[in-house]
Amino acid sequence: MTTLNNDFLLSLLKKYKNDILMNYNDGFSKRSLQNYEKGSIRTSEANIIYCIMREFGYKNAIDIGLGPAFSALFFAKALKDSNRHGMITSI
């Protein structure tokens, strides 16, 4: 079992650095979303979610919160970039 400590998370960010930069340039940031109101997740945290989804091959995710489902965008992008089909449930 992998421990999600700071060193491991940093290694994921390095591994997926180019993909994260491409996502940012493609508009995956809060600044690029029209009418975005502040939610509870930061872009840096959403990037970690993206990396974890890619690294472990998760196919399903649950987005729980009151915000505009910003994290769900990163769940979906991770699935797409990994060529996996799955389900994202947002409640």
Side-chain angles (χ1 to χ4, degrees):
M1 181 171 177
T2 303
T3 303
L4 297 179
N5 61 33
N6 288 342
D7 290 333
F8 178 72
L9 295 176
L10 207 59
S11 73
L12 287 182
L13 288 172
K14 289 177 183 176
K15 179 177 180 177
Y16 294 104
K17 177 183 176 182
N18 291 334
D19 294 329
I20 291 168
L21 290 173
M22 268 197 313
N23 290 345
Y24 182 82
N25 290 331
D26 288 343
F28 279 79
S29 70
K30 291 180 180 181
R31 287 185 209 139
S32 64
L33 297 174
Q34 265 187 328
N35 301 321
Y36 178 81
E37 294 181 23
K38 185 177 180 184
S40 61
I41 189 168
R42 297 177 176 144
T43 303
S44 58
E45 295 163 334
N47 282 319
I48 290 290
I49 288 171
Y50 171 86
C51 293
I52 291 170
M53 291 278 295
R54 299 268 326 259
E55 186 68 15
F56 292 107
Y58 294 126
K59 295 181 181 178
N60 300 304
I62 298 174
D63 179 37
I64 301 171
L66 300 172
F70 185 65
S71 55
L73 291 172
F74 284 81
F75 291 146
K77 184 66 170 146
L79 288 175
K80 181 181 178 188
D81 290 350
S82 299
N83 294 316
R84 289 192 313 272
H85 297 284
M87 180 180 289
I88 299 161
T89 304
S90 190
I91 56 172

